Amino acid sequence: DSSNQFDITLGASTVIDAGVNGVNGLDTGSLANSTLYYVYIISDSRSFNTPKLLLSTSATAPYVPAGYDILRRIGSVRTDGSAHFLKFYQSGSASQRKYTWDAPISVLSGGNSTTFAAVDLSGAVPALANCRVGIISSFTPATAANAATIRPSGSAATTGVTITGVVAAKAQGAQEEVLALLISGVPKIDYIVAATGDALSLSVISFIESL
């Protein structure tokens, strides 16, 4: 469980029905569009109730049904604009899990800020501290050798992951990893470009979380 005091064994494959509230369902409310949800395994330290699953929008404090008093977060999922769960791939072991979206999720389009500006990743990344995020970038420089930089949001560093344009007005793609920091509970990174004529687009392809 979350306190590392109790082992919780689910025993068999289990389906979460997000159309119901309670065990093996959503903790409260109705399934929403374009929303990140957290998956929990819940159990009873007294062993009166068998382990079940639970879905919640809370990364730390889901509404746990009566009879259950221990839990562990075991994953994250996201809905699209029609409340369908987005397809993803999960890998990793122990407490480390990597999630790769089947289709990258856009978080910035045509960014042209010449001072560091924050990018909100909450539509693609859980609200977890120090989350390592895989970013796909497309950078179109106004002038060859202009560069774009991304860094953890709020960092004092003036440098970070840099994408340098090769040919003026020609898009150049790259893939990199950057740490997302929680700013007022929202996962963010910063970006900057060399000139207002530059354009940077960013999409999240993956993230790594510690469970």
Side-chain angles (χ1 to χ4, degrees), residues 46-67:
R46 302 160 301 172
S47 300
F48 293 140
N49 295 293
T50 58
K52 302 293 183 181
L53 297 179
L54 192 69
L55 200 63
S56 176
T57 56
S58 174
T60 57
Y63 180 78
V64 181

Side-chain angles (χ1 to χ4, degrees), residues 64-98:
V64 181
Y68 291 85
D69 61 346
I70 56 176
L71 55 82
R72 181 86 180 218
R73 184 173 56 80
I74 59 173
S76 307
V77 293
R78 183 184 187 272
T79 57
D80 63 14
S82 300
H84 300 134
F85 289 109
L86 293 179
K87 185 177 182 179
F88 66 93
Y89 308 94
Q90 186 190 64
S91 58
S93 60
S95 63
Q96 294 287 309
R97 292 291 185 277
K98 181 176 182 178

Side-chain angles (χ1 to χ4, degrees), residues 9 12 23 30 72 79 83 110 117 149 173 191 210:
T9 302
V23 295
S30 300
R72 181 86 180 218
T79 57
T149 297
Y191 86 95
S210 296

Side-chain angles (χ1 to χ4, degrees), residues 16-17 23 45 55 58 65 69 77 95 97 122 137 157 177 198 201:
I16 294 178
D17 182 355
V23 295
S45 63
L55 200 63
S58 174
D69 61 346
V77 293
S95 63
R97 292 291 185 277
S122 59
S137 62
E177 186 177 278
D198 298 335
S201 295

Side-chain angles (χ1 to χ4, degrees), residues 64-148:
V64 181
Y68 291 85
D69 61 346
I70 56 176
L71 55 82
R72 181 86 180 218
R73 184 173 56 80
I74 59 173
S76 307
V77 293
R78 183 184 187 272
T79 57
D80 63 14
S82 300
H84 300 134
F85 289 109
L86 293 179
K87 185 177 182 179
F88 66 93
Y89 308 94
Q90 186 190 64
S91 58
S93 60
S95 63
Q96 294 287 309
R97 292 291 185 277
K98 181 176 182 178
Y99 294 80
T100 301
W101 297 115
D102 186 60
I105 299 173
S106 175
V107 291
L108 177 70
S109 180
N112 64 349
S113 177
T114 55
T115 59
F116 276 109
V119 179
D120 185 338
L121 305 184
S122 59
V125 175
L128 304 171
N130 305 328
C131 193
R132 290 155 53 196
V133 182
I135 297 288
I136 294 176
S137 62
S138 177
F139 178 54
T140 304
T143 302
N146 278 6

